[in-house]
Amino acid sequence: MEKNNHISVAIVGAGLSGSLLAINLLKKTFDGKIDIFLIESSKKRFGRGVAYSPNSIYQKLNVPAKGMSLFPENPNHFVDWWKSNEKNYFYLGESYDENSFFPRFIFGDYLESTLNSNIQTKSSNKEFFTINDEVVDASKIESQWKIKLSSGAELIVDNLILATGNIPPGNPNYLSNEVLDNKRYLHNPWDDSLFESIQLNETLGILGSGLSMVDVIMTLKRKNFQGKIVSFSRSGKLPKVHSIPDHLNPTPFPELFGNVNDDVNKIRNWLRENDGLSDVNLMNVIRPYTSVIWKSWDSKSQRRFIRHVRPFWESFRHRIPSESMAIISEWIQLGKLTFLKARIQSSRLEKETIEITTLEPHSKFGSYRFDRLINCTGPDTKLKEVKSDLYTNLMKKGYIIQSENGIGFVTGNLGQVKSKEGKFLENLYCLGPLRKNELWESTALREIRDQVNELTSVISNSNSNSNSNTNTKKSDPLNQSSV
């Protein structure tokens, strides 16, 4: 095979995963030429995605600043950037250092700034384009990919990277059609316009008690919300609070053998042995093993873990800063916020409200009415229910298939996408949350950095018998070449 000296890459999604891949490709030394297309439907999400939007002032990162560098070989990169730009944030009236949990929008500024900096300093053999449009379809043409955009434009590239992040929550089956079709039901907690419809003195119901729920509470705090909120979940568990790292070493992590019952029990016993140690220390020991453990279980065991253990795991794994918990605790004390362990049985519209009925501990039934009901149950995982033209079309063509564990579609050890025919499709990869079926742990910066570094090497070493031919058709989709 002759090494190709002109390749093209289309990255769908300009959040953390997509933007970091673009940054790494811009930094990477290539022998030949490379054209990079970063495609995002929302202008305000270019270079930052949903999680780090400009509105996320009260929403804190879940990792201290010293662990948030985009580059593992330069662990102080984010902290150094902050020191150079701190003066621009004087209006916050707070001081931050390497141990601080920064507001998410600041990390978004850092990500966007780093992307722009690398665009401006790119070498002459690289072309970079942003496309403000939605990808609605993709087709394989020999060794290349033809991408169709909602504007009608088409783009042909050598490599197609799916980095669309978390898919919005699916609709729980206990919600009636009349509720699903009503504007009082807010199905996507990550929608930029979510809070425009909420009045400050309304009564809100929230489905779920995880990180999405915390994000909603933090945004409502910023908007000076004065109403009341009830959060429902089957476990009734909140995320735990980050503790301060200590100098005590946990006992050795147990050896596991791929049996979900035995493995979960061994991990629980290990946690009991180390009771009192900082959860940061414990998580640092577990973290390298999570994907290995997940892969050692068959799909049936993985589904059992999701059904029975997932709420406990996520409460321990996805911790929140003490500042966020302080706001939640204050609202609980004021009677503004209630957490309820319950299974929702049904829902209906009742006059100008949404009424839900619940089954609570000790066979107690409940009934509640809300002005708005917000779905914070977490990302959807069932492909046939995902409301996305792109993924619907990819599934119809057999390019993607539902994974046996029920989490999204099937991917390989480098993010390759497996088709209905059981083969990995050439030059089609995905990043970040889209790989959760394979890795389980695939949403945090640490894992995304590793994935991006691997994929950057794959792309830089890609070969072809003939030079690529990157074309746009019908209309020119290219916007300015900086974010």
Side-chain angles (χ1 to χ4, degrees):
M1 298 285 282
E2 178 185 341
K3 191 170 183 179
N4 188 3
N5 61 10
H6 189 175
I7 61 174
S8 54
V9 181
I11 305 169
V12 184
L16 173 58
S17 301
S19 296
L20 185 53
L21 177 60
I23 290 168
N24 276 27
L25 291 174
L26 289 165
K27 288 169 62 71
K28 183 77 173 179
T29 299
F30 285 86
D31 293 335
K33 295 182 179 181
I34 180 171
D35 297 331
I36 304 166
F37 299 85
L38 185 59
I39 309 172
E40 172 60 59
S41 59
S42 172
K43 276 189 176 181
K44 65 175 66 176
R45 292 179 182 173
F46 262 114
R48 57 197 314 135
V50 177
Y52 311 112
S53 75
N55 296 325
S56 54
I57 295 176
Y58 275 95
Q59 298 171 8
K60 302 278 188 174
L61 296 171
N62 297 319
V63 176
K66 61 186 177 183
M68 291 300 294
S69 169
L70 293 174
F71 312 108
E73 71 278 8
N74 185 0
N76 294 322
H77 192 262
F78 177 43
V79 174
D80 291 341
W81 176 90
W82 168 250
K83 290 177 181 177
S84 299
N85 292 273
E86 183 176 4
K87 59 183 180 296
N88 299 326
Y89 300 89
F90 66 90
Y91 58 89
L92 293 177
E94 295 183 55
S95 60
Y96 298 96
D97 59 29
E98 64 176 11
N99 295 308
S100 299
F101 295 90
F102 276 63
R104 285 194 197 168
F105 85 97
I106 294 180
F107 182 80
D109 291 350
Y110 160 65
L111 176 60
E112 185 176 352
S113 171
T114 305
L115 177 57
N116 276 323
S117 175
N118 280 276
I119 293 170
Q120 293 164 9
T121 59
K122 66 181 177 61
S123 57
S124 59
N125 65 331
K126 296 172 184 173
E127 293 291 340
F128 183 85
F129 307 94
T130 64
I131 302 178
N132 183 205
D133 207 339
E134 181 182 3
V135 178
V136 295
D137 199 2
S139 301
K140 196 169 188 334
I141 303 176
E142 296 180 352
S143 63
Q144 294 181 305
W145 287 91
K146 181 171 74 172
I147 302 166
K148 184 177 180 181
L149 306 173
S150 62
S151 63
E154 293 180 349
L155 183 70
I156 297 178
V157 294
D158 297 309
N159 299 277
L160 175 57
I161 316 299
L162 304 176
T164 54
N166 283 312
I167 297 171
N171 295 316
N173 55 18
Y174 51 72
L175 295 180
S176 64
N177 289 333
E178 64 176 359
V179 169
L180 295 176
D181 295 336
N182 193 272
K183 64 182 180 181
R184 293 184 176 275
Y185 169 62
L186 307 175
H187 79 282
N188 183 2
W190 313 317
D191 191 327
D192 294 329
S193 62
L194 173 74
F195 299 94
E196 295 175 4
S197 61
I198 297 175
Q199 304 301 310
L200 296 182
N201 59 350
E202 289 186 328
T203 300
L204 307 179
I206 296 181
L207 308 177
S209 61
L211 294 184
S212 295
M213 178 278 301
V214 175
D215 288 346
V216 168
I217 298 298
M218 296 304 106
T219 302
L220 290 172
K221 167 69 175 177
R222 182 176 68 85
K223 292 183 174 293
N224 197 30
F225 180 76
Q226 298 299 314
K228 293 192 175 183
I229 304 169
V230 180
S231 171
F232 299 90
S233 68
R234 292 171 59 183
S235 68
K237 289 188 173 296
L238 281 167
K240 292 185 179 296
V241 179
H242 273 281
S243 61
I244 300 173
D246 53 40
H247 300 289
L248 299 176
N249 293 320
T251 58
F253 193 69
E255 186 176 0
L256 307 177
F257 298 99
N259 180 289
V260 66
N261 284 345
D262 292 343
D263 291 349
V264 169
N265 285 332
K266 286 182 179 180
I267 293 171
R268 281 175 169 163
N269 290 335
W270 180 78
L271 291 173
R272 292 189 190 101
E273 287 176 13
N274 294 281
D275 185 42
L277 271 66
S278 167
D279 54 33
V280 176
N281 295 45
L282 296 175
M283 198 65 234
N284 285 341
V285 172
I286 296 176
R287 190 78 171 271
Y289 294 100
T290 51
S291 291
V292 176
I293 297 170
W294 180 254
K295 289 180 178 181
S296 73
W297 297 337
D298 59 26
S299 58
K300 182 179 179 180
S301 296
Q302 291 172 348
R303 291 196 300 270
R304 289 183 62 203
F305 176 87
I306 292 169
R307 281 197 308 271
H308 302 295
V309 185
R310 176 182 176 181
F312 302 92
W313 165 257
E314 292 192 342
S315 175
F316 173 71
R317 167 66 184 92
H318 299 296
R319 295 152 291 161
I320 61 176
S322 57
E323 299 95 324
S324 299
M325 184 55 78
I327 292 173
I328 290 174
S329 299
E330 177 188 5
W331 280 24
I332 292 174
Q333 292 174 359
L334 292 173
K336 292 176 62 174
L337 177 60
T338 301
F339 289 95
L340 190 61
K341 180 179 180 179
R343 292 175 181 264
I344 297 177
Q345 303 295 294
S346 63
S347 67
R348 65 171 184 163
L349 293 181
E350 179 63 22
K351 296 181 180 179
E352 295 299 314
T353 64
I354 294 177
E355 181 180 72
I356 64 172
T357 58
T358 60
L359 177 61
E360 300 165 22
H362 310 296
S363 300
K364 175 185 174 183
F365 288 92
S367 178
Y368 304 85
R369 290 185 184 180
F370 302 103
D371 296 307
R372 313 276 173 188
L373 188 64
I374 307 174
N375 185 353
C376 291
T377 56
D380 201 351
T381 59
K382 298 179 178 64
L383 289 179
K384 65 180 180 180
E385 297 178 10
V386 170
K387 293 179 175 60
S388 162
D389 288 339
L390 173 60
Y391 291 117
T392 297
N393 288 326
L394 292 180
M395 185 168 59
K396 284 180 179 177
K397 294 175 180 177
Y399 290 162
I400 60 176
I401 54 173
Q402 181 76 51
S403 62
E404 291 185 6
N405 59 29
I407 304 178
F409 50 87
V410 181
T411 58
N413 60 3
L414 288 173
Q416 314 100 307
V417 178
K418 181 176 281 189
S419 71
K420 188 176 182 179
E421 296 177 350
K423 299 178 181 179
F424 289 115
L425 293 170
E426 185 180 11
N427 301 333
L428 176 63
Y429 301 91
C430 60
L431 282 172
L434 297 177
R435 292 185 64 183
K436 192 170 182 179
N437 77 89
E438 167 209 352
L439 302 172
W440 180 250
E441 192 72 51
S442 190
T443 59
L445 174 60
R446 178 172 169 177
E447 284 72 31
I448 290 173
R449 285 186 317 202
D450 292 342
Q451 294 175 26
V452 165
N453 287 337
E454 288 178 344
L455 190 50
T456 301
S457 296
V458 169
I459 293 171
S460 68
N461 292 323
S462 62
N463 293 319
S464 176
N465 283 324
S466 60
N467 288 345
S468 71
N469 178 25
T470 304
N471 297 299
T472 57
K473 299 181 179 179
K474 295 186 180 179
S475 63
D476 181 7
L478 305 183
N479 295 327
Q480 59 198 25
S481 59
S482 64
V483 177

